[in-house]
Amino acid sequence: MFKTTQLICCLALFFLFSNPIIAQDSIPTNNKIPDQPEKSKPTLKIGGALRFNYNLSSWKKEQVKRGGDFGLDVFRINAKASFEKLDFQAEYRFYPKSSGGGFLKEGYVTYNFNDSTNLSVGLVQNPFGNTTYNSHNWFFNLPYYVGFEDKFSMGLNFHQRRNRWVYNVAFFKNAMELDFGDQTATDPSRYSYDVAGRNKEVNQGNLKTEYLLSQNKRIGISGMLGGVYNISTGRMGARWAAAVHTDLNYGKLNVKLQSMYYQYNLSDSAQHKDVIEMAAYGATYGVARKAYLHTASFAYTQPVKLGPVTSLTFYENYSYMDKTQARFDDTQMNVLGCMLSAGRLTTYVDLASGKNQPWLGPDWQNGLSSGEPDSQWHSRFNINFGYYF
């Protein structure tokens, strides 16, 4: 396992020698101070969203009898600021108490070396797979539920584009930490799914490379290597993941394809080595310590004039989790739906179905780990609408 100090030093040297050094003979010799450009003024923009949710779940018999439930999804505040070469972005979310309450989704400062190179530090999105999202629907795809879609961690991300190549090199010290105790477990009140319970994510490195086939077509590969610290034993385990992915646009059609594999090697007692505990939205569940995940997402956007509605995006998103451990049953997920755009109002209408999917069925704790051999498909009809300001 790499050492944190060594990696930080290597990154510092890379940034130092990748920037031009001003030669001594470039300094004016006529003692006249050259005209200085007017400094840019700081900018600040505050925004957010208020979203509500209606859902009707087939496995919740009492809910079905009363025709579903309608209530608060989230209220969020976004802040963006910039000054000269520095940018700042943050998003704080307020969920119902049952979904973890309030917590920071993302928050980081970016230094722009130039138009094609920047460095972000803070609670930063992990450069892995199709980003920002590997899906089109409100529910995301299966990689999100095991920490590999729209995931944010504490660290830094170096981004650079050279002609048709895009590179991301990142280091993350750990998941978002809310309690700096000595043997404190990861708090489940968070947006990203992170390792929790008896283990903690530490010292993670990410490398992502994409090639632009055209302005709106790209293919790429991603890799991740990191540590897993076990609180009970005080020993360090390891984890790694790799993915190939494409994000392609053909006129009004968008296609996102991704195949990945992940594996955890835990320094835990024997009875706990097959399952890793993960947490988000105020709750934890078990996840198979190794698996393949394959996703295929298609979306077609049609401009319309239906009152305030200006476009309809129809999508079909499917994901499959192939668990390689003996006696573990696989997980599947499918979302068929439509997004309606009407100015600042956005609405998702989804029919989400799952088999051994904790959010789409009755087996919360074991759905993504051992699963149930006789598990059936369950469905949730969901309407989420929100006003973005």
Side-chain angles (χ1 to χ4, degrees):
M1 180 61 59
F2 53 83
K3 294 184 178 180
T4 305
T5 305
Q6 292 174 336
L7 183 55
I8 293 175
C9 290
C10 290
L11 287 171
L13 289 172
F14 176 80
F15 300 141
L16 176 63
F17 290 107
S18 64
N19 289 281
I21 300 176
I22 299 175
Q24 189 174 5
D25 60 7
S26 67
I27 301 176
T29 59
N30 58 3
N31 296 322
K32 180 181 179 180
I33 300 176
D35 293 336
Q36 297 294 321
E38 183 180 354
K39 291 186 177 181
S40 60
K41 295 181 180 180
T43 63
L44 174 63
K45 181 181 179 180
I46 302 296
L50 176 62
R51 301 197 319 223
F52 295 95
N53 206 61
Y54 166 81
N55 77 83
L56 178 65
S57 304
S58 65
W59 68 96
K60 298 179 180 179
K61 303 305 180 183
E62 296 302 316
Q63 188 196 58
V64 171
K65 289 181 181 179
R66 59 180 180 263
D69 293 321
F70 181 45
L72 174 67
D73 173 27
V74 64
F75 175 68
R76 78 184 204 195
I77 294 293
N78 297 79
K80 290 185 178 182
S82 63
F83 178 66
E84 297 185 345
K85 291 189 174 183
L86 288 174
D87 293 328
F88 165 78
Q89 181 164 322
E91 180 175 318
Y92 196 90
R93 295 191 167 196
F94 300 88
Y95 284 93
K97 184 178 180 180
S98 61
S99 296
F103 45 77
L104 187 69
K105 178 200 173 186
E106 60 183 304
Y108 53 88
V109 175
T110 300
Y111 180 79
N112 299 291
F113 296 95
N114 50 53
D115 290 341
S116 61
T117 307
N118 61 63
L119 175 68
S120 298
V121 182
L123 183 59
V124 185
Q125 186 179 47
N126 293 194
F128 188 92
N130 285 319
T131 52
T132 300
Y133 305 109
N134 185 44
S135 54
H136 306 98
N137 67 84
W138 181 75
F139 285 91
F140 299 120
N141 279 336
L142 279 176
Y144 173 78
Y145 298 92
V146 296
F148 288 101
E149 181 179 353
D150 202 27
K151 176 181 171 68
F152 294 82
S153 302
M154 295 300 304
L156 53 86
N157 177 38
F158 175 78
H159 169 88
Q160 185 175 72
R161 175 175 175 177
R162 291 185 177 180
N163 298 321
R164 290 180 177 268
W165 290 96
V166 180
Y167 305 97
N168 284 275
V169 182
F171 171 74
F172 299 103
K173 186 64 190 75
N174 44 251
M176 181 179 65
E177 191 63 69
L178 300 177
D179 190 334
F180 294 91
D182 189 30
Q183 293 183 311
T184 307
T186 298
D187 192 308
S189 294
R190 59 191 55 245
Y191 171 83
S192 299
Y193 267 100
D194 297 313
V195 173
R198 302 159 60 91
N199 295 284
K200 298 172 76 77
E201 298 177 7
V202 295
N203 302 340
Q204 172 185 325
N206 282 63
L207 177 63
K208 176 182 174 181
T209 302
E210 291 183 301
Y211 181 76
L212 304 180
L213 300 170
S214 65
Q215 186 64 29
N216 56 5
K217 297 181 179 69
R218 59 180 63 200
I219 59 174
I221 58 174
S222 299
M224 181 275 285
L225 175 65
V228 186
Y229 179 78
N230 184 264
I231 298 174
S232 301
T233 65
R235 297 195 301 266
M236 190 74 71
R239 57 198 170 96
W240 67 273
V244 293
H245 39 88
T246 64
D247 189 349
L248 311 170
N249 288 283
Y250 301 94
K252 299 176 182 178
L253 177 67
N254 176 253
V255 179
K256 299 178 188 289
L257 305 174
Q258 179 172 302
S259 288
M260 62 163 291
Y261 176 79
Y262 74 86
Q263 180 171 317
Y264 290 84
N265 298 314
L266 305 176
S267 294
D268 208 337
S269 55
Q271 66 267 31
H272 294 289
K273 284 190 174 181
D274 286 335
V275 176
I276 186 77
E277 192 172 344
M278 304 199 78
Y281 295 100
T284 64
Y285 54 47
V287 174
R289 75 173 185 89
K290 55 182 180 178
Y292 291 93
L293 287 102
H294 309 291
T295 62
S297 301
F298 305 89
Y300 184 86
T301 300
Q302 178 62 53
V304 297
K305 291 183 179 180
L306 299 173
V309 180
T310 56
S311 71
L312 299 173
T313 300
F314 302 93
Y315 45 78
E316 163 63 24
N317 293 179
Y318 174 77
S319 46
Y320 179 77
M321 183 177 182
D322 179 10
K323 304 167 189 174
T324 61
Q325 292 158 271
R327 299 181 302 279
F328 275 31
D329 290 280
D330 297 340
T331 294
Q332 298 183 66
M333 177 179 173
N334 190 80
V335 183
L336 177 67
C338 178
M339 181 182 73
L340 297 82
S341 298
R344 295 181 178 272
L345 183 67
T346 300
T347 303
Y348 291 88
V349 181
D350 293 334
L351 178 61
S353 303
K355 183 178 181 181
N356 282 321
Q357 214 284 26
W359 288 90
L360 299 172
D363 188 5
W364 173 264
Q365 188 59 43
N366 301 314
L368 288 172
S369 56
S370 59
E372 295 293 337
D374 56 350
S375 177
Q376 304 295 316
W377 280 89
H378 299 278
S379 297
R380 172 173 165 176
F381 177 67
N382 198 91
I383 300 176
N384 183 276
F385 71 92
Y387 184 83
Y388 295 77
F389 57 90

